[in-house]
Amino acid sequence: DTLWDLAIAEVENRENPDDDGKHVEIWEKSVLFMGNKNGGKTTIILRCLERDEIPKPTLALEYTFGRRARRHNTPKDIAHFWELGGGTSLLELIRIPITSNNIRSFAVVLVLDLSKPNELWTTMEKLLQVTRNHVKKILTKLEKTNPEVATEIKQRMRNNLQRDHPDYELVDPFPIPLVIIGSKYDIFHEFDSEMRKIISKTLRFVSHYYGASLVFTSKSEALLLKARVLINHLAFGYDKSKSVSVDHSKPLFIPAGLDSLSQIGPPPASDSDIGKMRANTPLELWKKVFEKTFPPKSFCDLQDTKDPAQDLQYAEYEVDVMRAQKNQ
């Protein structure tokens, strides 16, 4: 048999399953991880896939996948994990993993380094803005070519909040499922309690506003497990966790839709300060209050990008020898 014959037989088998016509659909999901440079994205992915490897710095956009069987003797579901390296310096690469073919089964995990509050808002804003604009473009296209899918995605955006939730009209959900992870909680935990409170409240507001889940994590196994629960829900459809932790003196864990603006409270600033700030949206107001305490540092993610051709993890003897010859 040629390769083509085998492929045709394989497709026929899939379309006409022998086992009493029980056709098990294989679940395929994609998750894009992005966030601060050296913020711990690779570590979280490796833990989710239960791989004991030492994380290497991510170059540009990297891909890996995981497979899990839902029950014994069933085909394994597949989850595609994409990771955007370089912080906010390679935003245009977001277009590659998110396409109109997989938008229905796509989710985003934003990893923010809690130990660098001055970079936090800028990183979050840039990454979410570019992703949102790209998803909106895809949705606009889908409205013409496949309106059912576009409508389904828009409905799903609103599903995290029940219609009777008091904040239903006040939030602006992200167009695809979003999880925000605050990493390096162990360092953050040493911060002054007032600083911790401002960062925690702000992240709670942002997550709630975008209809996202929020979890704080560090290298500790117990905290990584909590992040894994949220990611496994996105990647493999595992059950959502119902537990909630909103105490600012402990690591936060708030699944989407389980927080409220009344619980979060107003932005942490005096009324007179808030009166002086000109803001068109609640999000803008929170940004101004946050940046008053943590002025954004102008940082460039590109500065310390080394030449990937010199990186040992990509060494290939034959190629490198020819390259050396060419350079010579």
Side-chain angles (χ1 to χ4, degrees):
D1 283 2
T2 67
L3 193 56
W4 295 113
D5 296 330
L6 292 170
I8 291 165
E10 169 83 2
V11 170
E12 278 173 359
N13 271 345
R14 276 190 208 164
E15 285 170 358
N16 315 310
D18 309 327
D19 50 350
D20 317 325
K22 273 189 293 201
H23 181 49
V24 183
E25 195 183 349
I26 292 182
W27 165 294
E28 251 185 80
K29 292 269 181 174
S30 306
V31 184
L32 170 64
F33 286 76
M34 54 192 188
N36 291 80
K37 203 169 186 166
N38 307 324
K41 299 181 289 294
T42 312
T43 308
I44 293 166
I45 293 176
L46 292 173
R47 287 302 302 125
C48 281
L49 298 174
E50 293 170 11
R51 287 191 200 153
D52 272 340
E53 292 169 30
I54 293 164
K56 299 189 187 98
T58 300
L59 201 82
L61 185 69
E62 294 203 356
Y63 168 83
T64 184
F65 67 94
R67 299 171 70 206
R68 300 268 164 87
R70 263 178 272 189
R71 288 182 300 281
H72 191 56
N73 281 345
T74 57
K76 288 186 171 174
D77 295 329
I78 302 164
H80 307 281
F81 286 125
W82 294 88
E83 184 188 352
L84 180 72
T88 54
S89 60
L90 300 165
L91 292 172
E92 62 280 7
L93 291 180
I94 287 172
R95 299 198 308 261
I96 295 168
I98 311 178
T99 65
S100 49
N101 295 331
N102 66 12
I103 186 91
R104 284 169 78 177
S105 56
F106 211 97
V108 170
V109 175
L110 175 67
V111 181
L112 297 172
D113 187 337
L114 295 173
S115 68
K116 296 179 182 162
N118 299 74
E119 292 176 17
L120 200 137
W121 193 284
T122 320
T123 303
M124 173 181 73
E125 191 172 56
K126 279 186 179 170
L127 289 167
L128 291 183
Q129 228 165 8
V130 172
T131 310
R132 186 171 210 148
N133 292 344
H134 176 58
V135 171
K136 277 190 175 157
K137 267 187 205 150
I138 291 178
L139 286 176
T140 312
K141 236 192 249 168
L142 278 177
E143 276 167 356
K144 293 177 188 139
T145 56
N146 196 338
E148 292 91 23
V149 173
T151 314
E152 180 197 327
I153 291 170
K154 287 184 173 167
Q155 298 274 220
R156 213 179 48 197
M157 256 164 75
R158 283 282 178 189
N159 282 353
N160 274 333
L161 271 196
Q162 306 302 320
R163 275 191 177 276
D164 54 3
H165 193 293
D167 307 335
Y168 191 76
E169 294 300 328
L170 304 170
V171 296
D172 182 14
F174 205 67
I176 50 180
L178 172 67
V179 168
I180 296 178
I181 295 181
S183 66
K184 306 199 181 170
Y185 178 77
D186 42 346
I187 303 173
F188 171 76
H189 192 57
E190 304 298 315
F191 284 9
D192 162 67
S193 72
E194 204 44 44
M195 280 168 74
R196 285 209 314 262
K197 194 173 167 190
I198 294 174
I199 297 170
S200 299
K201 273 184 87 158
T202 303
L203 284 178
R204 275 180 68 184
F205 172 78
V206 170
S207 301
H208 184 58
Y209 188 74
Y210 283 136
S213 299
L214 175 66
V215 58
F216 282 3
T217 174
S218 70
K219 287 192 175 134
S220 99
E221 210 48 41
L223 288 184
L224 275 169
L225 254 174
K226 292 201 147 184
R228 255 178 74 183
V229 167
L230 290 176
I231 294 165
N232 279 338
H233 170 68
L234 296 179
F236 298 107
Y238 286 17
D239 288 345
K240 265 186 180 167
S241 172
K242 290 279 186 284
S243 74
V244 177
S245 164
V246 292
D247 181 352
H248 293 159
S249 59
K250 299 193 179 92
L252 297 181
F253 180 82
I254 312 169
L258 297 184
D259 211 340
S260 69
L261 294 175
S262 58
Q263 279 178 303
I264 298 166
S270 69
D271 290 348
S272 62
D273 278 351
I274 287 180
K276 287 177 203 150
M277 291 176 183
R278 292 173 182 274
N280 298 325
T281 62
L283 197 66
E284 237 176 87
L285 180 64
W286 278 83
K287 175 183 178 173
K288 288 187 168 164
V289 171
F290 184 80
E291 292 188 338
K292 195 167 184 258
T293 314
F294 304 106
K297 273 210 291 256
S298 57
F299 63 97
C300 175
D301 281 323
L302 279 170
Q303 280 163 355
D304 50 5
T305 312
K306 297 183 195 68
D307 177 3
Q310 308 302 327
D311 195 321
L312 291 177
Q313 63 172 314
Y314 302 106
E316 269 185 71
Y317 180 73
E318 285 87 352
V319 178
D320 296 341
V321 167
M322 292 182 80
R323 176 124 189 205
Q325 251 177 336
K326 187 167 187 283
N327 288 345
Q328 209 173 336

